[in-house]
Amino acid sequence: MRLLFVGDTVGNMGVSMLQEYLPKLKRDLKPQITVVNGENATAVGRGISQRVYKQIMSAGADVITLGNHAWNNAEILDFIDQTPNLIRPANYPGPDVPGRGYTIVNVNGKQVAIINLQGLVFMDNLNNPFDTINAILEQVGAKTDYQFIDFHAETTSEKMAIARYLDGRVSALVGTHTHVQTSDYRVLPAGTAFMSDAGMTGPYDSILGMQTDLILKRFITQRPVQFKVAETGSGILSGCVIDLSDRTGLATKIRPILINPDHPYSN
Amino acid sequence: MRLLFVGDTVGNMGVSMLQEYLPKLKRDLKPQITVVNGENATAVGRGISQRVYKQIMSAGADVITLGNHAWNNAEILDFIDQTPNLIRPANYPGPDVPGRGYTIVNVNGKQVAIINLQGLVFMDNLNNPFDTINAILEQVGAKTDYQFIDFHAETTSEKMAIARYLDGRVSALVGTHTHVQTSDYRVLPAGTAFMSDAGMTGPYDSILGMQTDLILKRFITQRPVQFKVAETGSGILSGCVIDLSDRTGLATKIRPILINPDHPYSN
Amino acid sequence: MRLLFVGDTVGNMGVSMLQEYLPKLKRDLKPQITVVNGENATAVGRGISQRVYKQIMSAGADVITLGNHAWNNAEILDFIDQTPNLIRPANYPGPDVPGRGYTIVNVNGKQVAIINLQGLVFMDNLNNPFDTINAILEQVGAKTDYQFIDFHAETTSEKMAIARYLDGRVSALVGTHTHVQTSDYRVLPAGTAFMSDAGMTGPYDSILGMQTDLILKRFITQRPVQFKVAETGSGILSGCVIDLSDRTGLATKIRPILINPDHPYSN
Amino acid sequence: MRLLFVGDTVGNMGVSMLQEYLPKLKRDLKPQITVVNGENATAVGRGISQRVYKQIMSAGADVITLGNHAWNNAEILDFIDQTPNLIRPANYPGPDVPGRGYTIVNVNGKQVAIINLQGLVFMDNLNNPFDTINAILEQVGAKTDYQFIDFHAETTSEKMAIARYLDGRVSALVGTHTHVQTSDYRVLPAGTAFMSDAGMTGPYDSILGMQTDLILKRFITQRPVQFKVAETGSGILSGCVIDLSDRTGLATKIRPILINPDHPYSN
Ligand SMILES: [Fe+2]
Ligand SMILES: [Fe+2]
Ligand SMILES: [Fe+2]
Ligand SMILES: [Fe+2]
Ligand SMILES: [Fe+2]
Ligand SMILES: [Fe+2]
Ligand SMILES: [Fe+2]
Ligand SMILES: [Fe+2]
């Protein structure tokens, strides 16, 4: 089983990059399942809309994950409950959280759990991710063959900690949220594939997808600045591809995907 | 010299409380100078407008101070540069910060410096407040008779630390921002009046001036919630009155002002 | 039923203040139950020891609560499990947390639940306090007549939010942790007594109980500084006394206790 | 001019990795100047000692940079003032900060400024890094041919922001502190080489260099845990090599260095 994961899709250019490269990546890498983080996929870089959801699915995604920006476009409330392959972090607190935190996809008779989880350090006060993932794995562990987690978090320590905690219990855990790809992809000792951050997909000439001058203005003035998604220049697509053993459900290999002007696509 | 200070004015009810009680407080306490924090004074509880500025001045303020919400109503950029008695935290970084961080008021031939400063702990990354206040006092120390600081900060430790640091060098330092009055008002050993937080002025049946149900929803769901200023119920006015020695320029007494249904106004 | 609560006891001087004033307060106010926060009660101001525990109990406490410093003196692990009237925040995560998060005291045939809970904002990532308190109240609500919560938290908003959330469901919720008493004590509309922070008990000439020069050095240099508890000068004792209705179990009155050189004790 | 930079050296294994691989890297890559971050280089992973300083210099470093852990081993105060090639973040606040924030190295008649700077987001409240770097560049810009900055910071956004701000004004800016190497190395449009994080040098079977079980215990319990440097297993060395134009002083190329069992060293 091969899984392709693409990190935080930002704005129109992020969606365009998916439309251009997901077909090529799927043709060349032949993943059986493709997961895309879409928490910044609207034109303003915050949240997701039904239109953008459909664009990403049409581009080739099987499941879309989210993160702390999940709720920034209120339109999501209109369709997330009816959309099983759009998942939000499973550890949002409170009663009746819209949507779901994981989904199970049938791939040629094999069951693949795709799980979305969020970290706590320097982020919102969601429920304990260790407890949440334990509860989810109790539900899905026995009835799924593979488990993939998009762990949306800020710090490298929290990402590594939960990956080590789950080593051997899930197929792979890949981080998102910092919008910068890390080079620490590896299969951990007990068989879980890991990478601190998959990186982002969208405008390359930007700061995390946003217009450079506006981010700079915010840092320099510390006064409110309305960020805008960068719309010009070239694009970047970041992610990883993970090979899973049919026998163990664990990982045999993980390697990064990085497409940008400095690393043009080549199969 | 007697100075009256009123803490964070929130929304329409905050302005109404000023209109109702500032005249009574001035009549009964006879302060020579009145300072009001107005960082939440617009109808939506964020920033200040020219209209609200005029209302607060008409109600009896001589100087209006601000805080981290200073810039939330962009209209401020239209008039702050022409409004010497509206000041924002002096330690905002960057070139050409609109407005000024302190002002000097002539009260019967005595010069009173009113200074606005913001803390760093759990807040925006402004410039070092110790350096900023040192630079300001070098400029105004010799040519003013009294110095009052509204220190807008989150933690009690940072507020106490800067008060102790300035003890004997300024007339008074009073904190704002938490919207809850503290009972630690005192004249520090070297003569600076201090109080960790003056408290807020506005809707009493609220959480920090905002509608209780919306703040609760935010805490419980950790999802985005648009806060609204509470508009119904009774009001609260919080602050303090400080007596300063004409001889030393330092404080002889500080006592709290608290008006709400549980503490009705009485002179 | 009358309950006396005393806020964060800091260092030897904090314990001395309890030894001097708890007997007087109990003689004059006649509370049926006395609760003391002891999270800073060792000589170094961090955690609690068995010796200090006994001193505070001998001074007149019935129950001791803790906070984020609960574990800073490792000796606590030796006796907390055998000490039902020493409680730590109920929402610490993980399996097999030492000690307990609440206790039930029999006072003349009435059952009083004393509960310790910790906030999340700008603090460690404990479990969701809303969920934890709901679970505790499900267990103790029916079988207790009164419920008192020491909510150890940083921000006024989180403290007010949980108090409003619980209004009418518990007898009283009083905050601790900032070491500065607030003047917002009140009985909320549905009958729960509330106060954002009870304040601290210990060295008055200090910053939050610690030596002023060391705290200042830390703020000014941002380099590591070993804090020391202030040992000289006068003391402060802070807290509140709450009257509860025998009929409803809810509060009829809350008022602050504040003893320091500026507010000498008088019954 | 070619510069070799190696990221956060952690513990004894970090020093051993330098001793084993710096000679090989220097032999094969022939950098004219080698800079190593040593903020975690003592046996306990916090700060630096004179002994470790000498070991790293002997292993081949020309300059050692630090970060937020600079002061954790108090021994540094004994020798940093006499050690020009050991630098700490330039933007530490307060009077008389020990040591210096940058140094100038003469390399075959060319002057290379090595500058250490620290970020503010989710870190200590140091002075404004934009102001600090502007002041340093005013001092060293004209009299140096190359300028290299180790920017020790937590978030990708702050690292990118300051790199974009300085693009074309310094030769290179490379981030440290997260201990995980990023794959976003590139020469920015105006000629400054950039990489969000160089990554760490030390124990590979660890979380950021520390024993996995202890970091996990801290995340799961949220109680105090004494971390220990991992001492067993294989090692990792992370960094980058940057080529600078003799004509412009700007960068022509940056590429990562990563040595670990999954990426064995090969020249
Ligand atoms: Fe994102
Ligand atoms: Fe995110
Ligand atoms: Fe405010
Ligand atoms: Fe504020
Ligand atoms: Fe405390
Ligand atoms: Fe505390
Ligand atoms: Fe480090
Ligand atoms: Fe660091």
Side-chain angles (χ1 to χ4, degrees), chain A residues 16 45 50 68 157 177 246 263:
Chain A
S16 298
Q50 193 148 12
N68 58 311
S157 59
H177 181 64
D246 290 352
H263 301 77

Side-chain angles (χ1 to χ4, degrees), chain B residues 8 37 39-40 66-69 118 123 152-153 176-179:
Chain B
D8 302 45
N37 185 298
E39 72 143 7
N40 309 108
L66 296 164
N68 57 311
H69 287 299
Q118 192 163 307
M123 300 194 76
H152 198 75
T176 53
H177 180 65
T178 71
H179 288 210

Side-chain angles (χ1 to χ4, degrees), chain A residues 78-104:
Chain A
D78 299 340
F79 70 101
I80 190 171
D81 278 334
Q82 294 79 48
T83 311
N85 43 15
L86 173 65
I87 61 177
R88 45 78 189 163
N91 53 332
Y92 265 92
D96 307 321
V97 184
R100 68 215 76 193
Y102 68 90
T103 191
I104 297 173

Side-chain angles (χ1 to χ4, degrees), chain D residues 222-243:
Chain D
Q222 296 289 316
R223 305 198 300 267
V225 173
Q226 188 164 1
F227 299 145
K228 290 181 188 160
V229 171
E231 299 279 4
T232 57
S234 48
I236 179 174
L237 183 147
S238 311
C240 59
V241 58
I242 305 169
D243 290 330

Side-chain angles (χ1 to χ4, degrees), chain A:
Chain A
M1 172 76 63
R2 173 170 280 187
L3 180 147
L4 173 65
F5 179 62
V6 178
D8 300 46
T9 305
V10 183
N12 293 331
M13 203 184 296
V15 176
S16 298
M17 288 298 287
L18 294 175
Q19 289 167 331
E20 182 172 355
Y21 290 104
L22 270 195
K24 292 178 188 172
L25 287 163
K26 294 179 77 168
R27 176 198 64 198
D28 297 338
L29 299 173
K30 299 189 179 24
Q32 279 92 338
I33 181 165
T34 297
V35 179
V36 173
N37 185 299
E39 71 145 4
N40 308 108
T42 62
V44 297
R46 296 165 65 88
I48 195 164
S49 65
Q50 193 148 12
R51 193 175 140 272
V52 165
Y53 162 77
K54 284 177 182 165
Q55 288 176 319
I56 297 176
M57 296 301 280
S58 299
D62 297 304
V63 176
I64 296 176
T65 56
L66 295 164
N68 58 311
H69 288 297
W71 319 100
N72 282 124
N73 183 15
E75 187 193 324
I76 194 174
L77 302 176
D78 299 340
F79 70 101
I80 190 171
D81 278 334
Q82 294 79 48
T83 311
N85 43 15
L86 173 65
I87 61 177
R88 45 78 189 163
N91 53 332
Y92 265 92
D96 307 321
V97 184
R100 68 215 76 193
Y102 68 90
T103 191
I104 297 173
V105 181
N106 182 320
V107 178
N108 300 327
K110 293 280 188 174
Q111 308 304 315
V112 187
I114 309 294
I115 303 163
N116 199 183
L117 206 63
Q118 192 163 306
L120 302 182
V121 182
F122 306 141
M123 302 196 74
D124 286 331
N125 292 310
L126 304 199
N127 285 332
N128 189 306
F130 293 90
D131 287 350
T132 302
I133 191 62
N134 281 336
I136 290 174
L137 292 179
E138 235 168 81
Q139 284 174 45
V140 310
K143 64 180 174 189
T144 58
D145 301 284
Y146 308 95
Q147 306 79 27
F148 172 82
I149 301 172
D150 171 355
F151 185 53
H152 199 76
E154 178 66 39
T155 67
T156 48
S157 59
E158 192 174 16
K159 286 162 168 174
M160 278 194 176
I162 204 150
R164 291 282 188 172
Y165 178 74
L166 295 173
D167 186 18
R169 295 169 60 200
V170 300
S171 309
L173 181 145
V174 176
T176 54
H177 181 64
T178 72
H179 288 209
V180 174
Q181 191 179 77
T182 58
S183 66
D184 62 343
Y185 52 91
R186 68 197 275 197
V187 178
L188 293 171
T192 296
F194 171 64
M195 185 182 192
S196 282
D197 210 288
M200 65 162 271
T201 299
Y204 189 53
D205 301 320
S206 71
I207 296 179
L208 313 189
M210 296 289 148
Q211 288 183 21
T212 295
D213 57 336
L214 298 174
I215 297 282
L216 266 180
K217 193 176 176 191
R218 167 70 188 151
F219 271 106
I220 290 168
T221 68
Q222 294 290 317
R223 304 198 299 269
V225 172
Q226 188 164 1
F227 299 144
K228 287 180 190 163
V229 171
E231 297 279 3
T232 57
S234 48
I236 180 175
L237 182 148
S238 310
C240 59
V241 58
I242 304 168
D243 290 330
L244 304 173
S245 159
D246 290 352
R247 193 174 52 79
T248 65
L250 295 169
T252 55
K253 193 173 178 187
I254 175 171
R255 63 189 178 80
I257 303 289
L258 184 60
I259 306 171
N260 65 40
D262 295 320
H263 301 77
Y265 183 68
S266 65
N267 71 314

